Amino acid sequence: MKMLLTGGQQRRRRGVSAGNRSWYKYREARLLRVDTKTEDIEVLLTYESPAEVTADEEPAVLFKQGYLANDVLYLSTQTEILILAYPSLERLGYISLPSFHDVHHVRPTGTGTLLAVNTGLDQLLELTTDGDVVNRWHVLGGEPWGDRYSPDVDYR
């Protein structure tokens, strides 16, 4: 059996302490294919987010999750959604919104939109494949932006 694994290549450690999150810094996102019978591991894709969609000079670039449906692979980074043909990995689509803060999961719906879990803002987003927001829900209930976040501040 072959499996796809998402993750990232960690940066070199700089010393970990309670206040130092450098252990979480990933250099590049990776997509691997693992053959569980032969134990072969193949790197299918390495990826670095463009600087304009990252928060600092050493961002955590990793694929948080992947979802494969009908020969289309949906991958999420902290600030992006990549839509790729599988197995060619040709780019079919790309979404990065100012309100993307730690996108953990993405998957298509039966109506042609995407659902994305935007954990940094406690939101579930329904998006078109062009990146237009169709619906926005606060995962704890109430208004989409809740009491902790503001579209005036957190949408940039």
Side-chain angles (χ1 to χ4, degrees), residues 22-156:
S22 66
W23 60 270
Y24 188 68
K25 300 292 186 171
Y26 289 85
R27 181 168 64 84
E28 64 185 12
R30 296 241 175 138
L31 175 67
L32 308 176
R33 183 170 38 217
V34 177
D35 187 319
T36 58
K37 277 188 175 180
T38 64
E39 298 183 6
D40 288 335
I41 299 173
E42 179 183 4
V43 177
L44 297 180
L45 178 65
T46 60
Y47 177 79
E48 290 186 48
S49 298
E52 61 269 14
V53 301
T54 60
D56 57 45
E57 292 103 29
E58 286 190 340
V61 180
L62 69 154
F63 291 130
K64 295 281 191 154
Q65 170 268 347
Y67 186 84
L68 181 61
N70 302 320
D71 298 326
V72 178
L73 180 61
Y74 302 85
L75 296 169
S76 63
T77 72
Q78 288 191 311
T79 57
E80 306 160 279
I81 295 171
L82 283 72
I83 305 169
L84 309 172
Y86 186 82
S88 71
L89 301 180
E90 172 190 349
R91 185 181 283 190
L92 301 175
Y94 176 86
I95 304 169
S96 182
L97 300 177
S99 65
F100 277 2
H101 295 279
D102 209 4
V103 179
H104 268 256
H105 294 83
V106 62
R107 69 173 290 164
T109 67
T111 61
T113 59
L114 302 175
L115 292 176
V117 178
N118 191 25
T119 62
L121 296 181
D122 299 331
Q123 295 177 347
L124 173 64
L125 304 173
E126 182 179 10
L127 309 162
T128 67
T129 55
D130 291 328
D132 297 321
V133 178
V134 176
N135 283 305
R136 184 184 306 266
W137 299 276
H138 193 275
V139 298
L140 301 175
E143 294 300 311
W145 287 99
D147 297 331
R148 295 173 51 191
Y149 307 108
S150 164
D152 299 328
V153 175
D154 297 302
Y155 197 77
R156 292 190 261 173

